[in-house]
Amino acid sequence: MKKLMAANWKMYKTRAEAKATAEELVSRIKGKLPEDREVVIAAPYTALATVGAVLEGNAGCSLSAENLYPAEQGAFTGEISPAMLKDVGCTYALAGHSERRSIIGETDELVGEKVAFGLANGLSMILCIGETIDERKAGEVQKVIDRQLEAGLKDVPADFVPETVVVAYEPVWAIGTGEVAGEDEIVEAHGFVRKKLENIFPEKASEIRILYGGSVKPGNCAQIIALDNVDGVLVGGASLEGESFSQIALA
Ligand code: PGA
């Protein structure tokens, strides 16, 4: 299984900035990315075509959207469909990032619809899950993971290819805070995610990648991806510079 090193640029970067960052990243990892590693950049919609053009032809590098809307087309002002994303070169999309859940108000059900619709329309989907600090303090980590996985994977097409479903465990309290989760916390949560995946998809669970996200940096990435059931990382802040993300990609 290839480790997936994913960047999430959120609402940062004009096209010129995106181009410069992607070019720097590519120049630093070209010819160095191990066979068993994949790099994905999730960029804002306006930068997708630009970043896609830089990544094109670079083995092991793919383009992702940060979101999608679960419909083919129609009167959905401000939204974007999987077909439109594929048209600009995306092969991945994120669904259910905690910022979309908490700021935009996305529900577990909507996130599940996005995952299912994206997969059915040929995108690989990165389903983001994770508990808030209050939920952790209340001892509800497993309850939250269970609920978010159950709803997020509810309508996944039965014949899905396991590599196209990715779960990113991102404890909300570790995102953008510099407070990376402890190794025991990561191992415990990822082990629980794997168990839950085995319940839902007994035959495919071992091939579904589980990423860790939340304050991943060049200095902590190698330790994190060496942990049990950690099949890659989803990186926000430290992915915004080509140099630091190249260190993560090659860690
Ligand atoms: P961070 O963000 O790396 O800045 O903590 C992670 C994410 O939001 O995916």
Side-chain angles (χ1 to χ4, degrees), residues 30-222:
K30 215 179 178 68
K32 297 192 191 139
L33 197 64
E35 279 282 300
D36 61 352
R37 231 169 243 207
E38 194 181 343
V39 167
V40 167
I41 298 182
Y45 296 137
T46 49
L48 285 173
T50 307
V51 175
V54 177
L55 297 184
E56 203 170 348
N58 285 284
C61 295
S62 307
L63 185 66
S64 177
E66 299 174 12
N67 182 32
L68 59 75
Y69 191 75
E72 257 162 48
Q73 57 179 13
F76 303 105
T77 302
E79 295 298 334
I80 194 150
S81 71
M84 292 167 178
L85 296 174
K86 289 200 299 184
D87 188 45
V88 288
C90 288
T91 51
Y92 280 87
L94 307 183
H97 190 278
S98 71
E99 287 145 19
R100 296 206 58 84
R101 293 178 189 262
S102 68
I103 301 169
I104 314 293
E106 288 193 11
T107 61
D108 290 335
E109 288 65 37
L110 178 60
V111 173
E113 285 176 41
K114 292 182 178 198
V115 170
F117 197 81
L119 288 169
N121 286 276
L123 289 170
S124 295
M125 295 301 299
I126 302 176
L127 166 64
C128 305
I129 60 167
E131 80 287 353
T132 63
I133 193 62
D134 289 346
E135 288 164 335
R136 175 163 282 271
K137 283 183 180 157
E140 293 176 350
V141 176
Q142 296 194 350
K143 188 172 138 199
V144 172
I145 292 177
D146 193 79
R147 191 195 75 228
Q148 291 181 338
L149 283 179
E150 197 74 52
L153 300 171
K154 192 164 135 302
D155 292 317
V156 165
D159 60 350
F160 78 95
V161 177
E163 291 76 21
T164 64
V165 173
V166 180
V167 174
Y169 170 67
E170 300 198 293
V172 177
W173 47 272
I175 294 179
T177 58
E179 192 187 340
V180 68
E183 295 195 354
D184 292 349
E185 291 166 327
I186 298 175
V187 168
E188 195 181 343
H190 281 233
F192 185 75
V193 171
R194 184 74 70 200
K195 247 200 315 198
K196 182 73 190 165
L197 291 173
E198 282 161 2
N199 288 338
I200 308 177
F201 309 116
E203 274 144 44
K204 298 183 182 176
S206 63
E207 293 165 83
I208 295 177
R209 286 172 292 185
I210 307 172
L211 314 184
Y212 169 78
S215 297
V216 175
K217 305 277 180 257
N220 60 25
C221 184

Side-chain angles (χ1 to χ4, degrees), residues 10-24:
K10 310 192 179 188
M11 199 176 77
Y12 290 100
K13 297 190 185 296
T14 61
R15 285 177 302 159
E17 290 163 349
K19 183 167 185 278
T21 306
E23 281 174 350
E24 178 167 9

